[in-house]
Amino acid sequence: MERSPGSGGRWERSSPPAPPELTPDVEELQSRVQETLELLSPQDLRNFRLLLKTVDEEPRVSPVKLELEGRKKAGLARLVAQNYCEPAASRVLVKVLRQLRRADLLRLWQGAADRGGIPRKILKRSYDCVDGELDRYDLSGSRKAFLMCVEKSRPGAHRDIELMKEWLGQCQFEHTACIDPNKMELLRKITLFRDGLNEIKGDVGCCLITLMSHGENGFIKMEDGEKVSLQDIFEMFNNKNCPALQEKPKIFIIQACRGERRDSGVETDDEPMESDDVSEKRRLPTFSDYFIIYPTQADHVALRHPRTGSVMIEAMSEVFKQYGNKWHIADFFTRVNNRVVHTEFHLHEEPIKVSLVMESTLTKSVYF
């Protein structure tokens, strides 16, 4: 016979079992995973759950658990932390973030996977503090880069190549190298590169061109001294000639002199820095979505050290190592410029100063 609370027998309400206590290491892992999830867009978060079902790391998270416990970020983080032990959890995050193309988060978890530990506290990127996603470019497509460098008679250029290849890899770019070309070889290779973009069209997310050589205002010089017009190269990738890049960012990093003038700077009272639609068819401007960075002002020399390489390239590498992909590209190069401007340089024992110059027709923010 059934008993009721008032029938004299003892009645107890059953309760779900208490969740297992978490060790400090699992708690810290869960915290880092949740920080990562907080930085994902709603679309990325949906894709994260889908990818988690297929990641080739045992034991896999069951679809039932994902449905029941992984709807919210906190539950999803707890599920990952409790299901995988380190370093398996870091490997899982690396595999998923690589497919999401979140290079800023990937490098932290990659470092943790390599060390067999848990990544440090994750910094928010500037757009992660802003609601909405309409003001940043969608870089989920392939990222293509063209890397040209004149190495002959440019001591330190080999270091520039090493640093740029490292940076491009960290930002998830596939790059095409072109080292010590003559004028015709450069134009042929960069035309093939542009035509390749047009062939894959819808799959391109971003294009980056790096040109490192001697130069003068408006031109770069090949290893045989022949000049190539920068404007001609820019035009190759405009909205008419490269429809694959319409409304997609086109980034140009130019490491070359722009003239012979030298800026020795001015003295200040500050302490010295430490050294060493009107038609039926929507229209676009011919030139849009460009970002061009120069290592110096017009008509001025650029600086390159025989051992450490070019000043701008070295500063890019240092800022990226310190902050990763935290900022929109213009803010990133503003940081780089800050470092360059406040560093003392000498040329033939005379003080010399440089300042980077940015030109932009971007319509959204660029986060790698």
Side-chain angles (χ1 to χ4, degrees), residues 92-106:
V92 168
L93 268 293
V94 166
K95 293 173 181 177
V96 174
L97 292 171
R98 182 175 286 122
Q99 293 190 66
L100 293 179
R101 293 186 175 275
R102 283 300 299 260
D104 58 314
L105 301 172
L106 174 60

Side-chain angles (χ1 to χ4, degrees), residues 137-139 144 173 204-208 245-252 288-291 329 362 364-368:
Y137 289 98
D138 176 9
L139 301 189
K144 302 292 187 180
F173 277 91
V204 182
C206 177
C207 171
L208 187 147
L245 293 177
Q246 290 179 3
E247 299 187 274
K248 297 175 182 178
K250 298 164 275 287
I251 299 159
F252 291 82
S288 63
D289 306 289
Y290 278 75
F291 182 86
I329 192 168
L362 294 177
K364 301 178 182 180
S365 297
V366 178
Y367 291 90
F368 293 137

Side-chain angles (χ1 to χ4, degrees), residues 107-153:
R107 60 193 298 270
L108 294 172
W109 285 98
Q110 182 70 68
D114 293 342
R115 295 190 310 270
I118 299 172
R120 57 181 171 81
K121 188 173 179 61
I122 297 168
L123 297 173
K124 285 188 175 183
R125 304 202 288 185
S126 52
Y127 83 74
D128 292 313
C129 305
V130 180
D131 291 333
E133 300 181 62
L134 296 178
D135 292 329
R136 59 187 174 101
Y137 289 98
D138 176 9
L139 301 189
S140 59
S142 59
R143 303 175 185 185
K144 302 292 187 180
F146 185 87
L147 172 61
M148 188 285 290
C149 182
V150 173
E151 197 171 0
K152 293 179 181 177
S153 303

Side-chain angles (χ1 to χ4, degrees), residues 221-234:
K221 296 179 181 179
M222 301 297 96
E223 56 95 12
D224 57 1
E226 286 190 288
K227 300 178 185 178
V228 177
S229 165
L230 287 173
Q231 189 60 35
D232 287 349
I233 292 179
F234 298 157

